Amino acid sequence: YQPPDGLPLDIPAAQRLLAEAGYNTGADLGPVELLYPPRQAGVCQALARMWEDSLGVQVELRAQESKTFAEEKARQRFMIAWGNWYPDYNDPTTFLDCFATGNGNNDSGYSNPKYDELLAAAAEETDSVRRMTILQNAERLVMEEDCPVLPVLHPTELIAVGPRVIGIHPNSRLWFPFRYVSVTR
């Protein structure tokens, strides 16, 4: 699966689009609120600074402890909110289903019948190559046209495993069933 490239960083284009939308500067938008859990303060402060410096957008940071943050997101009481997702299984739908209309993990409230139709078509497609093409088209729609999400980063974890350790197989969740792990002598 080759995901679409997504949108490039293009500050002049962003400034032009703001102006075309009737906002001469980002400050004309009024304050934009960014909801986030405290553990993401550094990243959210950096984002706010970048938006302020490059677009003139006034960003109000609103940190909420984890439980309140989750409730606010689930009730869609935010302008922009921190989000994250880890794959549950090795398929693009582990991420793409999160944007389906009515999906319980769709905290953004995104809804596009065309997107939902693409996901439904992929679910019915038995040819794996055609299925992946349909999913790429769905991802392109959500990442390059509608943009209900702004991918900023993907966390990484560094693990070190000695050459004598066998049975550890890297996976996206970094969950290792240690009953299959052993050390050779």
Side-chain angles (χ1 to χ4, degrees):
Y1 183 78
Q2 182 62 42
D5 291 335
L7 297 175
L9 175 64
D10 189 342
I11 294 169
Q15 293 167 334
R16 186 183 71 254
L17 289 169
L18 273 172
E20 288 174 10
Y23 304 101
N24 293 323
T25 69
D28 293 341
L29 284 171
V32 173
E33 184 182 87
L34 175 56
L35 174 69
Y36 63 95
R39 70 184 179 278
Q40 302 302 338
V43 173
C44 290
Q45 289 166 359
L47 283 172
R49 181 65 182 257
M50 286 184 244
W51 292 338
E52 289 170 358
D53 290 348
S54 61
L55 301 174
V57 174
Q58 178 189 352
V59 179
E60 291 182 359
L61 296 170
R62 183 166 64 113
Q64 295 284 326
E65 60 86 19
S66 294
K67 184 178 179 187
T68 304
F69 169 75
E71 290 171 3
E72 293 289 282
K73 270 185 53 178
R75 291 188 174 97
Q76 298 173 359
R77 293 192 297 229
F78 59 86
M79 289 178 81
I80 300 174
W82 175 267
N84 65 316
W85 190 257
Y86 290 93
D88 299 298
Y89 49 92
N90 189 21
D91 190 84
T93 58
T94 192
F95 290 104
L96 298 178
D97 284 350
C98 292
F99 296 104
T101 302
N103 184 293
N105 294 311
N106 185 356
D107 292 336
S108 70
Y110 174 72
S111 180
N112 181 330
K114 182 179 176 184
Y115 181 78
D116 295 337
E117 288 169 13
L118 287 167
L119 290 183
E124 296 294 322
E125 182 56 63
T126 57
D127 180 272
S128 62
V129 173
R130 285 196 301 258
R131 179 177 177 271
M132 289 300 167
T133 299
I134 294 167
L135 292 174
Q136 287 169 327
N137 290 333
E139 186 171 357
R140 188 170 292 105
L141 177 62
V142 86
M143 298 302 298
E144 296 178 354
E145 294 179 36
D146 293 349
C147 304
V149 62
L150 305 169
V152 175
L153 62 89
H154 187 78
T156 59
E157 296 287 333
L158 179 64
I159 61 170
V161 179
R164 298 185 314 133
V165 177
I166 58 172
I168 290 185
H169 303 285
N171 60 74
S172 58
R173 293 297 297 250
L174 294 178
W175 288 350
F176 306 107
F178 285 104
R179 66 179 170 211
Y180 302 115
V181 176
S182 61
V183 178
T184 61
R185 297 197 186 265

